Amino acid sequence: MQKKLPKKQHQVREMLALHADLTDKELARALNWDINTVTPRRGELVKAGIVEWSQTRPCAVTGKTCHAWRVVTK
């Protein structure tokens, strides 16, 4: 049985479930959060095995090459 995620982790997970392959900056823009709020929550989800790296590509926000993330499918 999976335990309930904290609110901000849940919001990050849901955004990635709806829009796979987002970078941290794209997540921050979509959630209207500061990047310093997004990155730790995404990192916690990666550590928990809920989110994983999907690809490296140009970020739509910064134009820089960045990691994109997706929800793990089992």
Side-chain angles (χ1 to χ4, degrees), residues 10-68:
H10 176 76
Q11 289 174 293
V12 169
R13 188 214 164 283
E14 289 302 305
M15 186 61 66
L16 286 171
L18 291 172
H19 308 283
D21 300 329
L22 294 176
T23 67
D24 288 341
K25 285 282 193 172
E26 291 166 348
L27 273 168
R29 178 184 276 177
L31 293 166
N32 197 31
W33 293 355
D34 185 75
I35 189 65
N36 293 329
T37 303
V38 171
T39 305
R41 302 304 73 79
R42 190 263 310 143
E44 292 161 359
L45 292 170
V46 169
K47 189 174 180 180
I50 297 167
V51 168
E52 66 185 358
W53 172 86
S54 63
Q55 63 176 311
T56 301
R57 62 166 179 79
C59 175
V61 177
T62 65
K64 297 179 181 179
T65 301
C66 299
H67 293 291

